[in-house]
Amino acid sequence: MSHEYVLKPFTSEIRLNIEYARELNPQQLAAVTTPPGPALVIAGAGSGKTRTLTYRVAYLLEQGIPADRILLLTFTNKAAGEMMRRVGDLLGHELRSLWGGTFHSIGARILRLHAEAVGYQRDFTILDRDDAQDLIKACVTAAGIEIKGTHFPKPAVLNEIFSLTANTHKPVEELVAGQFSYFSEFVTRIVELARGYAARKRATNAMDFDDLLALWLKLLQDHPGLREQYQRRFQFILVDEYQDTNQLQSDLIDLLAEKHHNVTVVGDDAQSIYAWRGANFANILEFPRRYPGAKVFKIETNYRSTPEILGVANAAIAANVNQFAKELAPARKSGVKPALVACQDAAQQAAFIAQRALELREEGLGLNHVAVLYRSHFHALELQLELTRQQIPFSITSGIRFFEQAHIKDATAYLKFVANPRDEISFKRLAQLLPGIAAKGADRLFQLFQSKSRGDGTQIKIGNQSGPPPVVSCQIAAALQACSRSVPKKAAVAWTQFVATISQLEAPAIRKNAAKMLRLVMDAGYDDYLKATYDNYGRRLDEIQQLAEFAFQFGEVEEFLTQLALLTNVEAEDDNAARNDVEKLRLSTIHQAKGLEFDAVFVIMLCDGMFPSARSLESNAGEEEERRLFYVAITRAKNELYLTYPLIRGGFGNSGAEAFQSPSRFLSEIPRGLLNEWNLR
């Protein structure tokens, strides 16, 4: 370490007299009291990561390091607030001079001081996601890009492309080729828009969230004097959840610590589950290589789970090759073995969970202490139906509830409209998916459509097909076609396709089957709309396909739509339902549950192709990330763990026939002696 960059002697009036050896376990103590220099702290699940970081800050203060020479970086405002509160509790007072916060908040703070150096004024505006998309839309218009009749990416998708470019340091061309290959024909225009968007932000004195990091890094790279100023200021850098850093964040940390190397990063490589949003797993794995001489500490004592649950967790992650090997050790007394539950189908799986949750409640465990975790939202569809039937209260933890997501509402709007042509809301939703039709235009078209509607079985020809177009009796499509002359020119081609789609949905062989209707919607062009509109096109496509498979169990379209309405109303209840003081069973994706803990946990749909997902199995890295996700799910459980899977899944393929499923490969990696096997078939 270069002592030139260590400010000595430090002076501090802080004397906490903390008995560290008494407050911390030996592994935590070693990490907290390590001398200056690079340190990697691998903190296993439930091992006291936050406690370790907090005491590290206190220890540095006691060693005479001024608070304003310490930089503490976190990923969320909640984590930053919790960390600062705990430090304040140890000190007995709030410590305002400590630089602590999210990467973005620290970036904004520094850029406010030096905006001119990166071509901005200090009163720059920070754009939220919606603002950024509006500005991108203005750039598309200004560039005169003709998007009529094409699937050119919408502003939200362009925003995601620009964001990933900034956070991964990949050129637009490389990113499009790798993750958005279906836009390859537009790559030249997308590159031009990226330049135009950057220029527009500068001209309007506005930065988006990615700029807060990208321009902070540019400031340090382009201005040696400022770089040295902040390298001297931030004598000790501490980073929380280091496994989730992307390339841009890693570069910032490395540059700030370039001279003194006094950087302590804390994280768990086994809980790195965000590659899909740009996190670079290599950052934590390669830390010792980038910082020669770095000390690696492993904190493996788990205070959350029983020994039996930890045995399963250790076995579940052992097959990963790319990891820091560790063994979670229990601090708690023995409990019951986790259960491996084989079910006949998804309905039996749902019935089992509902029954067992009620039994746990009778045993004294409130529903709010029980969670059902899954890989993807659609895995819980049957369970939601069963809980609704049994009137078992539940809440769903997610960014947007499954049935409230735009693509689900779009797809089901086709079914609602065909089932009930007077459904104004569904008609307007579908109309506004077409280019050039906004709210007022959709309202006018609906009024016209109503006036044209009649029940005389009018026959129309379905266009856009080779050979003589078939003639089909389709009352709704006929009325829609009669409105064609009133449709804006921009929407003319799309309206023709819309009419053809509705006419096909009305065909008797299709009209009676909700699953076939949903698949026809995808084949008729909604798939292309998803690509152009959403950055996470693949996930949304999977969810609609799974919704179609789910729909096969219903005899009539109306029955399917009724159940969806009931489920949507249940989900639409006040978000306060998720609070711990309200007794409701918690349903959550594993990503959303990271950082939480529950007395009893059910991990469901453990079948190959579902968990791990089919797409993840295309690469070793993808499979390893899925295994880490499985590990995260297991380590949420404190006392009881249930791993469940159905052997049969209905609605597969175009026929909707039942198909046998293979239990998840992850289950075969767990020694059977660690599990109680329950066979419900």
Side-chain angles (χ1 to χ4, degrees):
M1 182 180 71
S2 172
H3 292 281
E4 175 188 351
Y5 280 82
V6 177
L7 302 182
K8 289 187 175 182
F10 286 123
T11 58
S12 174
E13 297 180 357
I14 295 178
R15 293 291 180 267
L16 302 178
N17 298 317
I18 297 173
E19 295 184 41
Y20 291 95
R22 184 174 170 181
E23 298 283 337
L24 304 167
N25 68 38
Q27 293 176 332
Q28 293 170 336
L29 179 65
V32 164
T33 59
T34 185
L40 170 61
V41 182
I42 303 296
S47 65
K49 169 180 66 68
T50 302
R51 185 178 186 83
T52 301
L53 265 177
T54 303
Y55 275 80
R56 176 62 175 168
V57 173
Y59 181 79
L60 290 175
L61 293 172
E62 275 204 316
Q63 297 307 301
I65 310 301
D68 64 355
R69 302 289 175 168
I70 300 172
L71 174 63
L72 174 61
L73 292 167
T74 66
F75 270 85
T76 66
N77 290 319
K78 180 180 179 181
E82 173 68 9
M83 211 84 70
M84 298 294 279
R85 182 189 64 77
R86 290 199 189 187
V87 171
D89 288 345
L90 283 177
L91 297 178
H93 61 84
E94 189 175 354
L95 192 63
R96 294 184 178 276
S97 55
L98 175 67
W99 282 65
T102 65
F103 280 88
H104 292 88
S105 68
I106 298 297
R109 183 174 174 181
I110 290 175
L111 288 171
R112 289 287 183 200
L113 297 173
H114 311 287
E116 292 87 351
V118 290
Y120 279 81
Q121 299 300 310
R122 292 191 181 188
D123 60 349
F124 61 82
T125 299
I126 298 176
L127 304 173
D128 62 21
R129 191 174 183 84
D130 288 340
D131 294 335
Q133 291 175 19
D134 287 343
L135 194 59
I136 291 171
K137 184 177 181 180
C139 292
V140 172
T141 301
I145 295 176
E146 180 56 57
I147 61 175
K148 179 182 176 182
T150 72
H151 299 296
F152 193 81
K154 299 287 180 65
V157 182
L158 291 168
N159 191 32
E160 183 68 11
I161 292 172
F162 300 159
S163 177
L164 285 171
T165 297
N167 287 292
T168 62
H169 291 337
K170 291 181 180 179
V172 171
E173 297 90 338
E174 181 182 341
L175 193 73
V176 170
Q179 293 181 239
F180 300 88
S181 57
Y182 39 86
F183 293 135
S184 294
E185 62 183 297
F186 305 120
V187 68
T188 301
R189 290 177 177 176
I190 294 173
V191 170
E192 292 172 355
L193 277 174
R195 296 193 190 105
Y197 176 53
R200 194 80 168 247
K201 285 185 291 183
R202 198 174 300 279
T204 57
N205 199 35
M207 296 183 191
D208 60 25
F209 265 53
D210 298 308
D211 290 326
L212 298 179
L213 302 187
L215 292 178
W216 177 15
L217 180 61
K218 181 177 174 57
L219 177 78
L220 299 178
Q221 290 174 331
D222 294 352
H223 299 276
L226 289 173
R227 178 170 66 247
E228 183 166 337
Q229 174 185 330
Y230 282 103
Q231 287 172 340
R232 287 182 177 275
R233 169 176 283 280
F234 299 134
Q235 288 289 294
F236 287 85
I237 302 169
L238 295 85
V239 186
D240 188 23
E241 301 286 10
Y242 187 68
Q243 78 279 352
D244 294 333
T245 53
N246 58 37
Q247 191 60 51
L248 176 53
Q249 291 160 333
S250 175
D251 288 349
L252 273 166
I253 296 164
D254 290 350
L255 189 55
L256 287 170
E258 185 178 47
K259 299 297 183 181
H260 54 67
H261 291 178
N262 292 333
V263 55
T264 300
V265 299
V266 181
D268 183 4
D269 58 294
Q271 296 188 70
S272 178
I273 57 174
Y274 295 113
W276 52 275
R277 70 181 190 194
N280 187 0
F281 181 59
N283 288 344
I284 192 167
L285 285 184
E286 296 177 1
F287 184 87
R289 181 186 61 78
R290 295 203 320 278
Y291 289 86
K295 294 185 177 181
V296 179
F297 301 92
K298 295 180 181 179
I299 304 178
E300 299 168 297
T301 302
N302 177 285
Y303 296 93
R304 176 185 299 154
S305 307
T306 62
E308 290 75 11
I309 291 173
L310 294 184
V312 172
N314 288 329
I317 198 64
N320 270 10
V321 175
N322 296 303
Q323 65 167 318
F324 291 100
K326 60 180 174 297
E327 190 87 2
L328 292 179
R332 295 184 54 201
K333 294 180 180 179
S334 184
V336 297
K337 276 187 180 181
L340 177 61
V341 186
C343 306
Q344 180 71 17
D345 53 25
Q348 187 181 57
Q349 179 183 246
F352 163 72
I353 294 169
Q355 177 186 345
R356 185 62 190 136
L358 291 177
E359 290 172 352
L360 289 170
R361 188 174 185 275
E362 290 176 3
E363 294 168 11
L365 183 62
L367 292 177
N368 52 311
H369 297 292
V370 181
V372 181
L373 305 181
Y374 36 81
R375 173 65 181 84
S376 301
H377 283 300
F378 58 79
H379 292 176
L381 295 181
E382 290 88 354
L383 177 59
Q384 292 178 50
L385 276 179
E386 182 65 25
L387 296 174
T388 302
R389 289 188 187 114
Q390 294 202 34
Q391 298 184 325
I392 298 174
F394 66 94
S395 64
I396 297 179
T397 302
S398 62
I400 301 176
R401 300 176 180 90
F402 182 82
F403 294 109
E404 292 178 355
Q405 296 178 104
H407 59 294
I408 299 297
K409 295 183 76 171
D410 289 345
T412 54
Y414 281 94
L415 278 63
K416 291 179 181 179
F417 178 56
V418 171
N420 174 21
R422 290 177 292 181
D423 185 340
E424 180 178 358
I425 300 301
S426 294
F427 175 94
K428 290 181 177 179
R429 184 177 192 92
L430 296 173
Q432 289 182 75
L433 293 177
L434 309 181
I437 300 179
K440 290 184 179 179
D443 184 64
R444 286 194 298 270
L445 283 170
F446 180 71
Q447 300 305 323
L448 180 61
F449 166 73
Q450 290 296 297
S451 70
K452 300 287 186 182
S453 297
R454 60 187 184 277
D456 60 1
T458 302
Q459 295 184 331
I460 71 166
K461 293 182 178 181
I462 302 174
N464 299 325
Q465 298 187 27
S466 59
V471 177
V472 180
S473 295
C474 36
Q475 300 168 0
I476 305 173
L480 290 172
Q481 190 177 54
C483 301
S484 297
R485 292 184 179 180
S486 299
V487 172
K489 289 183 179 180
K490 283 185 178 181
V493 174
W495 185 267
T496 299
Q497 176 62 54
F498 176 50
V499 173
T501 300
I502 295 299
S503 69
Q504 291 173 306
L505 291 173
E506 283 189 273
I510 301 294
R511 169 67 178 78
K512 295 180 180 179
N513 189 310
K516 289 182 178 179
M517 293 179 78
L518 286 168
R519 287 183 173 143
L520 191 151
V521 167
M522 297 303 297
D523 293 341
Y526 190 70
D527 177 281
D528 292 330
Y529 173 83
L530 284 179
K531 288 178 181 175
T533 306
Y534 300 110
D535 56 271
N536 54 356
Y537 150 74
R539 178 180 68 77
R540 291 177 187 259
L541 176 62
D542 286 345
E543 290 184 344
I544 294 178
Q545 290 173 337
Q546 291 295 328
L547 183 65
E549 291 172 2
F550 173 69
F552 265 110
Q553 65 183 283
F554 300 97
E556 299 290 336
V557 171
E558 286 76 12
E559 181 187 354
F560 171 68
L561 293 174
T562 297
Q563 290 299 329
L564 290 194
L566 292 174
L567 289 173
T568 302
N569 285 335
V570 168
E571 289 189 282
E573 293 179 4
D574 194 325
D575 283 339
N576 286 334
R579 297 181 315 181
N580 287 334
D581 59 346
V582 178
E583 191 179 356
K584 293 195 175 188
L585 183 66
R586 179 81 68 89
L587 275 57
S588 176
T589 63
I590 301 165
H591 284 101
Q592 289 285 338
K594 185 173 180 288
L596 303 178
E597 58 182 39
F598 305 91
D599 287 279
V601 168
F602 297 83
V603 186
I604 69 172
M605 286 296 179
L606 285 163
C607 307
D608 259 10
M610 300 187 77
F611 194 179
S613 70
R615 186 173 284 109
S616 71
L617 297 177
E618 295 173 1
S619 68
N620 289 334
E623 182 175 334
E624 289 211 346
E625 175 142 335
E626 291 286 290
R627 191 176 282 108
R628 294 194 294 271
L629 192 63
F630 183 44
Y631 172 84
V632 168
I634 292 170
T635 54
R636 299 311 95 199
K638 295 166 65 176
N639 303 320
E640 296 192 34
L641 174 67
Y642 301 86
L643 307 176
T644 74
Y645 63 94
L647 288 169
I648 294 174
R649 181 77 165 160
F652 275 81
N654 291 326
S655 66
E658 291 182 335
F660 286 98
Q661 297 190 135
S662 299
S664 172
R665 63 193 61 196
F666 298 158
L667 296 175
S668 66
E669 297 167 354
I670 301 172
R672 284 300 183 261
L674 299 179
L675 299 165
N676 272 329
E677 297 192 49
W678 299 6
N679 193 331
L680 304 184
R681 293 171 291 168

